[in-house]
Amino acid sequence: MKEWFTNLSVMEQIFFWLGIVSTLFLIVQIVLMCLSSFGGDVDVDGDGDIDVDTDSGVSIFTVKSITAFFAVGSWSGLLTCALASDKLQWLAVIVAILAGCAGMSLVVLLMRMIVKLQCNGTFDIDKTVGQHATVYVSVPPSRSGRGKITMNAQGRFVELDAVTDCDSRLAVDEAVEIVSTENECTVVRRLEIAAKTEQSVENKE
């Protein structure tokens, strides 16, 4: 094993160590995800996501997808180095990048499918109507854009997309009430407005 490793080129050694580290890290993440699925309290969603969201709400650049990029890309690059001649070693970098992007795309696709299954099978967003939540990402006024809210619903902590009909932006950490849902997105309003509306209704009665 030692003799085999010493005979590798510098590029092959880099691919080898990147592949070992990223693969071990990916295995750890899979194990944690399985533990979480079986009811453990492991926080697998703490990915440190870069805020580049897809339409499904799954971020493209997460720890899982980046780890998959390096794992798939490194082993593909190492294999290409072994098969290509010395003059074509530069192809290994291109193959590694393309294979890594394919691995990342596969992870994002799988995460989208998992999110859809969770939304369709275990979480009913319509049941959140009338409940209170906290603004996590500020919500633009008059439905000019989407923000995010967080809340405890149906036995778990969830993060949901949100829009508002209010004339002013809903700030981060502001308390809101969910008044309706549209296309897997909540429509929220300030609790102050909700309280005034309820009071006016009671006065009319």
mmCIF file with all atom_site columns, all heavy atoms in Angstrom, residues 118-146:
data_model
loop_
_atom_site.group_PDB
_atom_site.id
_atom_site.type_symbol
_atom_site.label_atom_id
_atom_site.label_alt_id
_atom_site.label_comp_id
_atom_site.label_asym_id
_atom_site.label_entity_id
_atom_site.label_seq_id
_atom_site.pdbx_PDB_ins_code
_atom_site.Cartn_x
_atom_site.Cartn_y
_atom_site.Cartn_z
_atom_site.occupancy
_atom_site.B_iso_or_equiv
_atom_site.pdbx_formal_charge
_atom_site.auth_seq_id
_atom_site.auth_comp_id
_atom_site.auth_asym_id
_atom_site.auth_atom_id
_atom_site.pdbx_PDB_model_num
ATOM 1   N N   . GLN A 1 118 ? -41.970 14.788 2.668  1.00 0.00 ? 118 GLN A N   1
ATOM 2   C CA  . GLN A 1 118 ? -42.304 15.290 3.997  1.00 0.00 ? 118 GLN A CA  1
ATOM 3   C C   . GLN A 1 118 ? -43.511 16.207 3.946  1.00 0.00 ? 118 GLN A C   1
ATOM 4   O O   . GLN A 1 118 ? -44.407 16.131 4.792  1.00 0.00 ? 118 GLN A O   1
ATOM 5   C CB  . GLN A 1 118 ? -41.102 16.032 4.593  1.00 0.00 ? 118 GLN A CB  1
ATOM 6   C CG  . GLN A 1 118 ? -39.955 15.120 4.994  1.00 0.00 ? 118 GLN A CG  1
ATOM 7   C CD  . GLN A 1 118 ? -38.768 15.886 5.516  1.00 0.00 ? 118 GLN A CD  1
ATOM 8   O OE1 . GLN A 1 118 ? -38.613 17.084 5.251  1.00 0.00 ? 118 GLN A OE1 1
ATOM 9   N NE2 . GLN A 1 118 ? -37.911 15.215 6.262  1.00 0.00 ? 118 GLN A NE2 1
ATOM 10  N N   . CYS A 1 119 ? -43.550 17.069 2.927  1.00 0.00 ? 119 CYS A N   1
ATOM 11  C CA  . CYS A 1 119 ? -44.661 18.025 2.830  1.00 0.00 ? 119 CYS A CA  1
ATOM 12  C C   . CYS A 1 119 ? -45.965 17.299 2.510  1.00 0.00 ? 119 CYS A C   1
ATOM 13  O O   . CYS A 1 119 ? -47.010 17.608 3.067  1.00 0.00 ? 119 CYS A O   1
ATOM 14  C CB  . CYS A 1 119 ? -44.367 19.058 1.745  1.00 0.00 ? 119 CYS A CB  1
ATOM 15  S SG  . CYS A 1 119 ? -43.062 20.226 2.197  1.00 0.00 ? 119 CYS A SG  1
ATOM 16  N N   . ASN A 1 120 ? -45.888 16.310 1.611  1.00 0.00 ? 120 ASN A N   1
ATOM 17  C CA  . ASN A 1 120 ? -47.100 15.626 1.185  1.00 0.00 ? 120 ASN A CA  1
ATOM 18  C C   . ASN A 1 120 ? -47.559 14.562 2.171  1.00 0.00 ? 120 ASN A C   1
ATOM 19  O O   . ASN A 1 120 ? -48.744 14.285 2.292  1.00 0.00 ? 120 ASN A O   1
ATOM 20  C CB  . ASN A 1 120 ? -46.863 14.965 -0.188 1.00 0.00 ? 120 ASN A CB  1
ATOM 21  C CG  . ASN A 1 120 ? -46.635 15.995 -1.270 1.00 0.00 ? 120 ASN A CG  1
ATOM 22  O OD1 . ASN A 1 120 ? -47.103 17.112 -1.162 1.00 0.00 ? 120 ASN A OD1 1
ATOM 23  N ND2 . ASN A 1 120 ? -45.895 15.613 -2.296 1.00 0.00 ? 120 ASN A ND2 1
ATOM 24  N N   . GLY A 1 121 ? -46.605 13.947 2.883  1.00 0.00 ? 121 GLY A N   1
ATOM 25  C CA  . GLY A 1 121 ? -46.954 12.807 3.699  1.00 0.00 ? 121 GLY A CA  1
ATOM 26  C C   . GLY A 1 121 ? -47.113 13.092 5.176  1.00 0.00 ? 121 GLY A C   1
ATOM 27  O O   . GLY A 1 121 ? -47.985 12.530 5.825  1.00 0.00 ? 121 GLY A O   1
ATOM 28  N N   . THR A 1 122 ? -46.282 13.953 5.737  1.00 0.00 ? 122 THR A N   1
ATOM 29  C CA  . THR A 1 122 ? -46.286 14.107 7.188  1.00 0.00 ? 122 THR A CA  1
ATOM 30  C C   . THR A 1 122 ? -46.597 15.524 7.658  1.00 0.00 ? 122 THR A C   1
ATOM 31  O O   . THR A 1 122 ? -46.884 15.720 8.820  1.00 0.00 ? 122 THR A O   1
ATOM 32  C CB  . THR A 1 122 ? -44.919 13.700 7.765  1.00 0.00 ? 122 THR A CB  1
ATOM 33  O OG1 . THR A 1 122 ? -43.896 14.555 7.218  1.00 0.00 ? 122 THR A OG1 1
ATOM 34  C CG2 . THR A 1 122 ? -44.597 12.257 7.413  1.00 0.00 ? 122 THR A CG2 1
ATOM 35  N N   . PHE A 1 123 ? -46.498 16.492 6.787  1.00 0.00 ? 123 PHE A N   1
ATOM 36  C CA  . PHE A 1 123 ? -46.731 17.875 7.204  1.00 0.00 ? 123 PHE A CA  1
ATOM 37  C C   . PHE A 1 123 ? -47.793 18.525 6.327  1.00 0.00 ? 123 PHE A C   1
ATOM 38  O O   . PHE A 1 123 ? -47.650 18.583 5.109  1.00 0.00 ? 123 PHE A O   1
ATOM 39  C CB  . PHE A 1 123 ? -45.427 18.673 7.140  1.00 0.00 ? 123 PHE A CB  1
ATOM 40  C CG  . PHE A 1 123 ? -45.592 20.097 7.614  1.00 0.00 ? 123 PHE A CG  1
ATOM 41  C CD1 . PHE A 1 123 ? -45.685 20.374 8.963  1.00 0.00 ? 123 PHE A CD1 1
ATOM 42  C CD2 . PHE A 1 123 ? -45.649 21.147 6.708  1.00 0.00 ? 123 PHE A CD2 1
ATOM 43  C CE1 . PHE A 1 123 ? -45.835 21.678 9.408  1.00 0.00 ? 123 PHE A CE1 1
ATOM 44  C CE2 . PHE A 1 123 ? -45.810 22.449 7.147  1.00 0.00 ? 123 PHE A CE2 1
ATOM 45  C CZ  . PHE A 1 123 ? -45.894 22.711 8.500  1.00 0.00 ? 123 PHE A CZ  1
ATOM 46  N N   . ASP A 1 124 ? -48.847 19.022 6.949  1.00 0.00 ? 124 ASP A N   1
ATOM 47  C CA  . ASP A 1 124 ? -49.942 19.674 6.231  1.00 0.00 ? 124 ASP A CA  1
ATOM 48  C C   . ASP A 1 124 ? -49.874 21.166 6.513  1.00 0.00 ? 124 ASP A C   1
ATOM 49  O O   . ASP A 1 124 ? -50.210 21.620 7.603  1.00 0.00 ? 124 ASP A O   1
ATOM 50  C CB  . ASP A 1 124 ? -51.284 19.097 6.686  1.00 0.00 ? 124 ASP A CB  1
ATOM 51  C CG  . ASP A 1 124 ? -52.437 19.625 5.847  1.00 0.00 ? 124 ASP A CG  1
ATOM 52  O OD1 . ASP A 1 124 ? -52.188 20.479 4.962  1.00 0.00 ? 124 ASP A OD1 1
ATOM 53  O OD2 . ASP A 1 124 ? -53.579 19.193 6.073  1.00 0.00 ? 124 ASP A OD2 1
ATOM 54  N N   . ILE A 1 125 ? -49.432 21.922 5.521  1.00 0.00 ? 125 ILE A N   1
ATOM 55  C CA  . ILE A 1 125 ? -49.239 23.360 5.719  1.00 0.00 ? 125 ILE A CA  1
ATOM 56  C C   . ILE A 1 125 ? -50.558 24.077 5.975  1.00 0.00 ? 125 ILE A C   1
ATOM 57  O O   . ILE A 1 125 ? -50.599 25.102 6.652  1.00 0.00 ? 125 ILE A O   1
ATOM 58  C CB  . ILE A 1 125 ? -48.501 23.970 4.499  1.00 0.00 ? 125 ILE A CB  1
ATOM 59  C CG1 . ILE A 1 125 ? -48.032 25.406 4.816  1.00 0.00 ? 125 ILE A CG1 1
ATOM 60  C CG2 . ILE A 1 125 ? -49.376 23.944 3.263  1.00 0.00 ? 125 ILE A CG2 1
ATOM 61  C CD1 . ILE A 1 125 ? -47.159 26.004 3.750  1.00 0.00 ? 125 ILE A CD1 1
ATOM 62  N N   . ASP A 1 126 ? -51.665 23.527 5.473  1.00 0.00 ? 126 ASP A N   1
ATOM 63  C CA  . ASP A 1 126 ? -52.965 24.171 5.663  1.00 0.00 ? 126 ASP A CA  1
ATOM 64  C C   . ASP A 1 126 ? -53.383 24.197 7.130  1.00 0.00 ? 126 ASP A C   1
ATOM 65  O O   . ASP A 1 126 ? -54.172 25.054 7.548  1.00 0.00 ? 126 ASP A O   1
ATOM 66  C CB  . ASP A 1 126 ? -54.035 23.453 4.835  1.00 0.00 ? 126 ASP A CB  1
ATOM 67  C CG  . ASP A 1 126 ? -53.823 23.636 3.341  1.00 0.00 ? 126 ASP A CG  1
ATOM 68  O OD1 . ASP A 1 126 ? -53.245 24.670 2.955  1.00 0.00 ? 126 ASP A OD1 1
ATOM 69  O OD2 . ASP A 1 126 ? -54.215 22.740 2.570  1.00 0.00 ? 126 ASP A OD2 1
ATOM 70  N N   . LYS A 1 127 ? -52.864 23.262 7.910  1.00 0.00 ? 127 LYS A N   1
ATOM 71  C CA  . LYS A 1 127 ? -53.199 23.207 9.329  1.00 0.00 ? 127 LYS A CA  1
ATOM 72  C C   . LYS A 1 127 ? -52.509 24.293 10.146 1.00 0.00 ? 127 LYS A C   1
ATOM 73  O O   . LYS A 1 127 ? -52.770 24.428 11.334 1.00 0.00 ? 127 LYS A O   1
ATOM 74  C CB  . LYS A 1 127 ? -52.852 21.838 9.897  1.00 0.00 ? 127 LYS A CB  1
ATOM 75  C CG  . LYS A 1 127 ? -53.720 20.709 9.348  1.00 0.00 ? 127 LYS A CG  1
ATOM 76  C CD  . LYS A 1 127 ? -53.368 19.377 9.986  1.00 0.00 ? 127 LYS A CD  1
ATOM 77  C CE  . LYS A 1 127 ? -54.249 18.254 9.452  1.00 0.00 ? 127 LYS A CE  1
ATOM 78  N NZ  . LYS A 1 127 ? -53.910 16.943 10.064 1.00 0.00 ? 127 LYS A NZ  1
ATOM 79  N N   . THR A 1 128 ? -51.621 25.066 9.517  1.00 0.00 ? 128 THR A N   1
ATOM 80  C CA  . THR A 1 128 ? -50.926 26.136 10.235 1.00 0.00 ? 128 THR A CA  1
ATOM 81  C C   . THR A 1 128 ? -51.744 27.431 10.265 1.00 0.00 ? 128 THR A C   1
ATOM 82  O O   . THR A 1 128 ? -51.375 28.372 10.974 1.00 0.00 ? 128 THR A O   1
ATOM 83  C CB  . THR A 1 128 ? -49.561 26.435 9.586  1.00 0.00 ? 128 THR A CB  1
ATOM 84  O OG1 . THR A 1 128 ? -49.763 26.887 8.240  1.00 0.00 ? 128 THR A OG1 1
ATOM 85  C CG2 . THR A 1 128 ? -48.688 25.199 9.577  1.00 0.00 ? 128 THR A CG2 1
ATOM 86  N N   . VAL A 1 129 ? -52.827 27.497 9.488  1.00 0.00 ? 129 VAL A N   1
ATOM 87  C CA  . VAL A 1 129 ? -53.647 28.713 9.435  1.00 0.00 ? 129 VAL A CA  1
ATOM 88  C C   . VAL A 1 129 ? -54.198 29.027 10.830 1.00 0.00 ? 129 VAL A C   1
ATOM 89  O O   . VAL A 1 129 ? -54.740 28.159 11.508 1.00 0.00 ? 129 VAL A O   1
ATOM 90  C CB  . VAL A 1 129 ? -54.798 28.552 8.432  1.00 0.00 ? 129 VAL A CB  1
ATOM 91  C CG1 . VAL A 1 129 ? -55.723 29.767 8.465  1.00 0.00 ? 129 VAL A CG1 1
ATOM 92  C CG2 . VAL A 1 129 ? -54.250 28.337 7.028  1.00 0.00 ? 129 VAL A CG2 1
ATOM 93  N N   . GLY A 1 130 ? -54.034 30.294 11.236 1.00 0.00 ? 130 GLY A N   1
ATOM 94  C CA  . GLY A 1 130 ? -54.500 30.729 12.547 1.00 0.00 ? 130 GLY A CA  1
ATOM 95  C C   . GLY A 1 130 ? -53.443 30.634 13.625 1.00 0.00 ? 130 GLY A C   1
ATOM 96  O O   . GLY A 1 130 ? -53.614 31.168 14.726 1.00 0.00 ? 130 GLY A O   1
ATOM 97  N N   . GLN A 1 131 ? -52.316 29.998 13.325 1.00 0.00 ? 131 GLN A N   1
ATOM 98  C CA  . GLN A 1 131 ? -51.248 29.867 14.310 1.00 0.00 ? 131 GLN A CA  1
ATOM 99  C C   . GLN A 1 131 ? -50.263 31.027 14.221 1.00 0.00 ? 131 GLN A C   1
ATOM 100 O O   . GLN A 1 131 ? -50.185 31.717 13.203 1.00 0.00 ? 131 GLN A O   1
ATOM 101 C CB  . GLN A 1 131 ? -50.521 28.535 14.127 1.00 0.00 ? 131 GLN A CB  1
ATOM 102 C CG  . GLN A 1 131 ? -51.399 27.316 14.326 1.00 0.00 ? 131 GLN A CG  1
ATOM 103 C CD  . GLN A 1 131 ? -50.610 26.029 14.255 1.00 0.00 ? 131 GLN A CD  1
ATOM 104 O OE1 . GLN A 1 131 ? -49.437 25.983 14.590 1.00 0.00 ? 131 GLN A OE1 1
ATOM 105 N NE2 . GLN A 1 131 ? -51.260 24.955 13.810 1.00 0.00 ? 131 GLN A NE2 1
ATOM 106 N N   . HIS A 1 132 ? -49.511 31.215 15.298 1.00 0.00 ? 132 HIS A N   1
ATOM 107 C CA  . HIS A 1 132 ? -48.523 32.285 15.343 1.00 0.00 ? 132 HIS A CA  1
ATOM 108 C C   . HIS A 1 132 ? -47.148 31.759 14.956 1.00 0.00 ? 132 HIS A C   1
ATOM 109 O O   . HIS A 1 132 ? -46.837 30.583 15.151 1.00 0.00 ? 132 HIS A O   1
ATOM 110 C CB  . HIS A 1 132 ? -48.462 32.888 16.748 1.00 0.00 ? 132 HIS A CB  1
ATOM 111 C CG  . HIS A 1 132 ? -49.741 33.565 17.152 1.00 0.00 ? 132 HIS A CG  1
ATOM 112 N ND1 . HIS A 1 132 ? -49.975 34.030 18.427 1.00 0.00 ? 132 HIS A ND1 1
ATOM 113 C CD2 . HIS A 1 132 ? -50.871 33.838 16.439 1.00 0.00 ? 132 HIS A CD2 1
ATOM 114 C CE1 . HIS A 1 132 ? -51.176 34.564 18.490 1.00 0.00 ? 132 HIS A CE1 1
ATOM 115 N NE2 . HIS A 1 132 ? -51.746 34.465 17.289 1.00 0.00 ? 132 HIS A NE2 1
ATOM 116 N N   . ALA A 1 133 ? -46.338 32.643 14.388 1.00 0.00 ? 133 ALA A N   1
ATOM 117 C CA  . ALA A 1 133 ? -44.993 32.282 13.956 1.00 0.00 ? 133 ALA A CA  1
ATOM 118 C C   . ALA A 1 133 ? -44.060 33.475 14.146 1.00 0.00 ? 133 ALA A C   1
ATOM 119 O O   . ALA A 1 133 ? -44.503 34.567 14.509 1.00 0.00 ? 133 ALA A O   1
ATOM 120 C CB  . ALA A 1 133 ? -45.007 31.834 12.496 1.00 0.00 ? 133 ALA A CB  1
ATOM 121 N N   . THR A 1 134 ? -42.780 33.250 13.894 1.00 0.00 ? 134 THR A N   1
ATOM 122 C CA  . THR A 1 134 ? -41.769 34.300 14.008 1.00 0.00 ? 134 THR A CA  1
ATOM 123 C C   . THR A 1 134 ? -41.070 34.478 12.673 1.00 0.00 ? 134 THR A C   1
ATOM 124 O O   . THR A 1 134 ? -40.705 33.494 12.019 1.00 0.00 ? 134 THR A O   1
ATOM 125 C CB  . THR A 1 134 ? -40.724 33.937 15.084 1.00 0.00 ? 134 THR A CB  1
ATOM 126 O OG1 . THR A 1 134 ? -41.386 33.727 16.327 1.00 0.00 ? 134 THR A OG1 1
ATOM 127 C CG2 . THR A 1 134 ? -39.703 35.059 15.246 1.00 0.00 ? 134 THR A CG2 1
ATOM 128 N N   . VAL A 1 135 ? -40.886 35.732 12.265 1.00 0.00 ? 135 VAL A N   1
ATOM 129 C CA  . VAL A 1 135 ? -40.227 36.018 10.991 1.00 0.00 ? 135 VAL A CA  1
ATOM 130 C C   . VAL A 1 135 ? -38.750 35.651 11.097 1.00 0.00 ? 135 VAL A C   1
ATOM 131 O O   . VAL A 1 135 ? -38.042 36.094 12.004 1.00 0.00 ? 135 VAL A O   1
ATOM 132 C CB  . VAL A 1 135 ? -40.380 37.498 10.607 1.00 0.00 ? 135 VAL A CB  1
ATOM 133 C CG1 . VAL A 1 135 ? -39.612 37.794 9.314  1.00 0.00 ? 135 VAL A CG1 1
ATOM 134 C CG2 . VAL A 1 135 ? -41.851 37.851 10.439 1.00 0.00 ? 135 VAL A CG2 1
ATOM 135 N N   . TYR A 1 136 ? -38.280 34.828 10.151 1.00 0.00 ? 136 TYR A N   1
ATOM 136 C CA  . TYR A 1 136 ? -36.886 34.390 10.125 1.00 0.00 ? 136 TYR A CA  1
ATOM 137 C C   . TYR A 1 136 ? -36.099 35.159 9.068  1.00 0.00 ? 136 TYR A C   1
ATOM 138 O O   . TYR A 1 136 ? -34.977 35.569 9.292  1.00 0.00 ? 136 TYR A O   1
ATOM 139 C CB  . TYR A 1 136 ? -36.838 32.891 9.851  1.00 0.00 ? 136 TYR A CB  1
ATOM 140 C CG  . TYR A 1 136 ? -35.462 32.321 9.702  1.00 0.00 ? 136 TYR A CG  1
ATOM 141 C CD1 . TYR A 1 136 ? -34.554 32.352 10.757 1.00 0.00 ? 136 TYR A CD1 1
ATOM 142 C CD2 . TYR A 1 136 ? -35.045 31.734 8.507  1.00 0.00 ? 136 TYR A CD2 1
ATOM 143 C CE1 . TYR A 1 136 ? -33.292 31.821 10.617 1.00 0.00 ? 136 TYR A CE1 1
ATOM 144 C CE2 . TYR A 1 136 ? -33.787 31.202 8.365  1.00 0.00 ? 136 TYR A CE2 1
ATOM 145 C CZ  . TYR A 1 136 ? -32.908 31.250 9.427  1.00 0.00 ? 136 TYR A CZ  1
ATOM 146 O OH  . TYR A 1 136 ? -31.648 30.725 9.286  1.00 0.00 ? 136 TYR A OH  1
ATOM 147 N N   . VAL A 1 137 ? -36.680 35.320 7.884  1.00 0.00 ? 137 VAL A N   1
ATOM 148 C CA  . VAL A 1 137 ? -36.139 36.179 6.823  1.00 0.00 ? 137 VAL A CA  1
ATOM 149 C C   . VAL A 1 137 ? -37.209 37.215 6.526  1.00 0.00 ? 137 VAL A C   1
ATOM 150 O O   . VAL A 1 137 ? -38.351 36.858 6.260  1.00 0.00 ? 137 VAL A O   1
ATOM 151 C CB  . VAL A 1 137 ? -35.799 35.373 5.558  1.00 0.00 ? 137 VAL A CB  1
ATOM 152 C CG1 . VAL A 1 137 ? -35.338 36.305 4.443  1.00 0.00 ? 137 VAL A CG1 1
ATOM 153 C CG2 . VAL A 1 137 ? -34.732 34.321 5.856  1.00 0.00 ? 137 VAL A CG2 1
ATOM 154 N N   . SER A 1 138 ? -36.866 38.494 6.592  1.00 0.00 ? 138 SER A N   1
ATOM 155 C CA  . SER A 1 138 ? -37.858 39.566 6.487  1.00 0.00 ? 138 SER A CA  1
ATOM 156 C C   . SER A 1 138 ? -38.768 39.381 5.264  1.00 0.00 ? 138 SER A C   1
ATOM 157 O O   . SER A 1 138 ? -38.315 38.989 4.193  1.00 0.00 ? 138 SER A O   1
ATOM 158 C CB  . SER A 1 138 ? -37.166 40.924 6.413  1.00 0.00 ? 138 SER A CB  1
ATOM 159 O OG  . SER A 1 138 ? -36.333 41.006 5.281  1.00 0.00 ? 138 SER A OG  1
ATOM 160 N N   . VAL A 1 139 ? -40.052 39.706 5.464  1.00 0.00 ? 139 VAL A N   1
ATOM 161 C CA  . VAL A 1 139 ? -41.070 39.495 4.421  1.00 0.00 ? 139 VAL A CA  1
ATOM 162 C C   . VAL A 1 139 ? -41.370 40.832 3.745  1.00 0.00 ? 139 VAL A C   1
ATOM 163 O O   . VAL A 1 139 ? -41.822 41.777 4.396  1.00 0.00 ? 139 VAL A O   1
ATOM 164 C CB  . VAL A 1 139 ? -42.355 38.909 5.029  1.00 0.00 ? 139 VAL A CB  1
ATOM 165 C CG1 . VAL A 1 139 ? -43.370 38.619 3.932  1.00 0.00 ? 139 VAL A CG1 1
ATOM 166 C CG2 . VAL A 1 139 ? -42.052 37.648 5.840  1.00 0.00 ? 139 VAL A CG2 1
ATOM 167 N N   . PRO A 1 140 ? -41.135 40.958 2.434  1.00 0.00 ? 140 PRO A N   1
ATOM 168 C CA  . PRO A 1 140 ? -41.402 42.210 1.709  1.00 0.00 ? 140 PRO A CA  1
ATOM 169 C C   . PRO A 1 140 ? -42.883 42.563 1.741  1.00 0.00 ? 140 PRO A C   1
ATOM 170 O O   . PRO A 1 140 ? -43.745 41.683 1.815  1.00 0.00 ? 140 PRO A O   1
ATOM 171 C CB  . PRO A 1 140 ? -40.932 41.909 0.281  1.00 0.00 ? 140 PRO A CB  1
ATOM 172 C CG  . PRO A 1 140 ? -39.966 40.772 0.432  1.00 0.00 ? 140 PRO A CG  1
ATOM 173 C CD  . PRO A 1 140 ? -40.502 39.946 1.572  1.00 0.00 ? 140 PRO A CD  1
ATOM 174 N N   . PRO A 1 141 ? -43.215 43.876 1.664  1.00 0.00 ? 141 PRO A N   1
ATOM 175 C CA  . PRO A 1 141 ? -44.621 44.301 1.742  1.00 0.00 ? 141 PRO A CA  1
ATOM 176 C C   . PRO A 1 141 ? -45.398 43.993 0.467  1.00 0.00 ? 141 PRO A C   1
ATOM 177 O O   . PRO A 1 141 ? -44.827 43.818 -0.614 1.00 0.00 ? 141 PRO A O   1
ATOM 178 C CB  . PRO A 1 141 ? -44.505 45.814 1.955  1.00 0.00 ? 141 PRO A CB  1
ATOM 179 C CG  . PRO A 1 141 ? -43.207 46.185 1.306  1.00 0.00 ? 141 PRO A CG  1
ATOM 180 C CD  . PRO A 1 141 ? -42.294 45.016 1.546  1.00 0.00 ? 141 PRO A CD  1
ATOM 181 N N   . SER A 1 142 ? -46.720 43.942 0.627  1.00 0.00 ? 142 SER A N   1
ATOM 182 C CA  . SER A 1 142 ? -47.657 43.847 -0.503 1.00 0.00 ? 142 SER A CA  1
ATOM 183 C C   . SER A 1 142 ? -47.324 42.711 -1.472 1.00 0.00 ? 142 SER A C   1
ATOM 184 O O   . SER A 1 142 ? -47.425 42.876 -2.695 1.00 0.00 ? 142 SER A O   1
ATOM 185 C CB  . SER A 1 142 ? -47.703 45.189 -1.253 1.00 0.00 ? 142 SER A CB  1
ATOM 186 O OG  . SER A 1 142 ? -48.037 46.238 -0.376 1.00 0.00 ? 142 SER A OG  1
ATOM 187 N N   . ARG A 1 143 ? -46.890 41.597 -0.951 1.00 0.00 ? 143 ARG A N   1
ATOM 188 C CA  . ARG A 1 143 ? -46.576 40.413 -1.751 1.00 0.00 ? 143 ARG A CA  1
ATOM 189 C C   . ARG A 1 143 ? -45.565 40.697 -2.869 1.00 0.00 ? 143 ARG A C   1
ATOM 190 O O   . ARG A 1 143 ? -45.621 40.096 -3.951 1.00 0.00 ? 143 ARG A O   1
ATOM 191 C CB  . ARG A 1 143 ? -47.847 39.814 -2.354 1.00 0.00 ? 143 ARG A CB  1
ATOM 192 C CG  . ARG A 1 143 ? -48.894 39.424 -1.326 1.00 0.00 ? 143 ARG A CG  1
ATOM 193 C CD  . ARG A 1 143 ? -49.883 38.438 -1.886 1.00 0.00 ? 143 ARG A CD  1
ATOM 194 N NE  . ARG A 1 143 ? -50.965 38.160 -0.935 1.00 0.00 ? 143 ARG A NE  1
ATOM 195 C CZ  . ARG A 1 143 ? -51.817 37.159 -1.037 1.00 0.00 ? 143 ARG A CZ  1
ATOM 196 N NH1 . ARG A 1 143 ? -51.716 36.320 -2.055 1.00 0.00 ? 143 ARG A NH1 1
ATOM 197 N NH2 . ARG A 1 143 ? -52.772 36.987 -0.146 1.00 0.00 ? 143 ARG A NH2 1
ATOM 198 N N   . SER A 1 144 ? -44.639 41.607 -2.607 1.00 0.00 ? 144 SER A N   1
ATOM 199 C CA  . SER A 1 144 ? -43.621 41.936 -3.606 1.00 0.00 ? 144 SER A CA  1
ATOM 200 C C   . SER A 1 144 ? -42.461 40.942 -3.582 1.00 0.00 ? 144 SER A C   1
ATOM 201 O O   . SER A 1 144 ? -41.538 41.044 -4.395 1.00 0.00 ? 144 SER A O   1
ATOM 202 C CB  . SER A 1 144 ? -43.081 43.354 -3.377 1.00 0.00 ? 144 SER A CB  1
ATOM 203 O OG  . SER A 1 144 ? -42.543 43.485 -2.062 1.00 0.00 ? 144 SER A OG  1
ATOM 204 N N   . GLY A 1 145 ? -42.482 40.007 -2.676 1.00 0.00 ? 145 GLY A N   1
ATOM 205 C CA  . GLY A 1 145 ? -41.429 39.003 -2.579 1.00 0.00 ? 145 GLY A CA  1
ATOM 206 C C   . GLY A 1 145 ? -41.732 38.058 -1.432 1.00 0.00 ? 145 GLY A C   1
ATOM 207 O O   . GLY A 1 145 ? -42.693 38.240 -0.687 1.00 0.00 ? 145 GLY A O   1
ATOM 208 N N   . ARG A 1 146 ? -40.895 37.048 -1.292 1.00 0.00 ? 146 ARG A N   1
ATOM 209 C CA  . ARG A 1 146 ? -41.092 36.048 -0.240 1.00 0.00 ? 146 ARG A CA  1
ATOM 210 C C   . ARG A 1 146 ? -40.046 36.193 0.865  1.00 0.00 ? 146 ARG A C   1
ATOM 211 O O   . ARG A 1 146 ? -38.902 36.540 0.599  1.00 0.00 ? 146 ARG A O   1
ATOM 212 C CB  . ARG A 1 146 ? -41.017 34.631 -0.812 1.00 0.00 ? 146 ARG A CB  1
ATOM 213 C CG  . ARG A 1 146 ? -42.201 34.243 -1.671 1.00 0.00 ? 146 ARG A CG  1
ATOM 214 C CD  . ARG A 1 146 ? -42.169 32.736 -1.965 1.00 0.00 ? 146 ARG A CD  1
ATOM 215 N NE  . ARG A 1 146 ? -43.332 32.309 -2.747 1.00 0.00 ? 146 ARG A NE  1
ATOM 216 C CZ  . ARG A 1 146 ? -43.646 31.055 -2.998 1.00 0.00 ? 146 ARG A CZ  1
ATOM 217 N NH1 . ARG A 1 146 ? -42.876 30.077 -2.525 1.00 0.00 ? 146 ARG A NH1 1
ATOM 218 N NH2 . ARG A 1 146 ? -44.718 30.746 -3.694 1.00 0.00 ? 146 ARG A NH2 1
#
